[in-house]
Coordinates of all heavy atoms in Angstrom, one line a residue:
T28 N 43.5 42.9 -70.7 CA 42.6 41.7 -70.7 C 41.2 42.0 -70.3 O 40.3 41.4 -70.9 CB 43.3 40.6 -69.8 OG1 44.6 40.4 -70.3 CG2 42.5 39.3 -69.8
L64 N 34.9 42.6 -84.5 CA 36.1 43.1 -83.8 C 37.1 42.0 -83.6 O 36.7 41.0 -82.9 CB 35.8 43.8 -82.5 CG 34.8 44.9 -82.5 CD1 34.7 45.5 -81.1 CD2 35.0 45.9 -83.6
N196 N 42.3 57.3 -91.8 CA 43.4 56.6 -92.4 C 43.0 55.9 -93.7 O 43.8 55.1 -94.2 CB 43.9 55.6 -91.4 CG 44.7 56.2 -90.2 OD1 45.2 57.4 -90.4 ND2 44.8 55.6 -89.1
Q218 N 73.6 51.5 -85.6 CA 75.0 51.5 -86.1 C 75.7 52.8 -85.6 O 76.9 52.8 -85.4 CB 75.0 51.4 -87.6 CG 74.6 50.0 -88.1 CD 74.5 50.0 -89.7 OE1 74.4 51.0 -90.3 NE2 74.6 48.8 -90.2

Side-chain angles (χ1 to χ4, degrees):
T28 302
L64 307 185
N196 287 336
Q218 289 176 339

